[in-house]
Amino acid sequence: MNENITEGPQEADTAALFPVSDRELVELQKWLGTRADEQGLVDVAHRTIDTPVGTLLLAATRTGLVRVAFEREGFEHVLQALADKIGPRVLNAPKRLDPVARELEEYFAGSRHEFDVPLDHTLSTGFRQSVQRYLPRIGYGDTLTYKEVAALVGNPRAVRAVGTACATNPLPIVVPCHRVLRSDGGLGGYLGGLDAKNTLLTLEKAV
């Protein structure tokens, strides 16, 4: 006896039955991240913003802003490093980063000359952290040399170490390592590339 069997929808047809656009999916992920953050389930919240120096990745712990990354660093690599060093619960939860995004927008608009958001220096230790904590004292539009910074942090011979501290600064722009130059006036290195460093200095009318 022949029987007609009607099969239910296959897994492959689910998307056709319940279509979700890429934009809706992104918004859903953000909503889930925000809800998880509100319930204390997020070790590191992150989001991206578009700026004159390219897309930036912002990441924050409960303590404060812990990472600002340039696209050339590889966002997935940066997020994996944060998961390894801080905690595995790394989610796109933009609400926690709203104050940082707002201050950066004001900075690039020229209306903000210093940042007020709390910072988390977990990713740096020892002399590097000492240098990075000093850098915000360099005023908007001003510059110092690596040698001058070494002297100001109490170790005049540690010029190369100051350069390393600037090159490995996990909070560029907010912690303004772009304001540190070579003794001959050259830009030196920069995590975001020399074009980005020059853009920031030009914005601040330091060059």
Side-chain angles (χ1 to χ4, degrees):
M1 182 173 65
N2 293 328
E3 295 183 1
N4 293 323
I5 301 176
T6 302
E7 296 183 356
Q10 299 298 307
E11 237 178 84
D13 299 328
T14 304
L17 292 173
F18 304 101
V20 177
S21 69
D22 290 342
R23 181 177 178 180
E24 289 172 325
L25 183 58
V26 169
E27 291 303 316
L28 176 60
Q29 290 172 335
K30 289 180 180 178
W31 181 83
L32 291 172
T34 298
R35 290 289 294 161
D37 195 19
E38 290 172 348
Q39 296 175 30
L41 303 176
V42 179
D43 296 320
V44 180
H46 67 85
R47 65 170 291 180
T48 58
I49 61 169
D50 294 324
T51 77
V53 291
T55 303
L56 297 177
L57 173 71
L58 311 177
T61 63
R62 289 288 176 185
T63 299
L65 182 68
V66 73
R67 192 72 164 85
V68 176
F70 293 93
E71 197 165 11
R72 72 202 301 260
E73 297 178 69
F75 290 161
E76 291 302 320
H77 172 74
V78 171
L79 291 174
Q80 184 58 57
L82 290 171
D84 293 341
K85 294 178 181 178
I86 297 177
R89 300 179 300 182
V90 178
L91 291 177
N92 183 4
K95 186 176 180 181
R96 191 189 293 185
L97 280 306
D98 281 350
V100 182
R102 182 171 58 254
E103 290 198 7
L104 281 166
E105 288 169 4
E106 293 168 353
Y107 168 79
F108 283 110
S111 60
R112 174 173 288 278
H113 293 178
E114 60 184 35
F115 294 91
D116 299 320
V117 292
L119 305 179
D120 184 341
H121 291 279
T122 297
L123 298 178
S124 298
T125 59
F127 185 72
R128 290 186 187 184
Q129 187 180 123
S130 297
V131 171
Q132 291 160 11
R133 285 182 178 273
Y134 178 82
L135 295 177
R137 300 185 189 181
I138 306 173
Y140 183 95
D142 294 332
T143 60
L144 292 176
T145 65
Y146 296 108
K147 184 177 181 179
E148 288 171 329
V149 172
L152 288 166
V153 296
N155 196 340
R157 296 187 178 185
V159 178
R160 183 165 295 186
V162 169
T164 300
C166 290
T168 58
N169 174 21
L171 296 166
I173 305 176
V174 177
V175 171
C177 56
H178 61 276
R179 296 174 189 161
V180 186
L181 307 177
R182 295 189 326 203
S183 295
D184 62 3
L187 293 179
Y190 191 60
L191 191 61
L194 295 186
D195 286 344
K197 186 169 185 175
N198 188 61
T199 296
L200 296 171
L201 291 171
T202 301
L203 171 69
E204 298 180 7
K205 296 181 174 58
V207 293

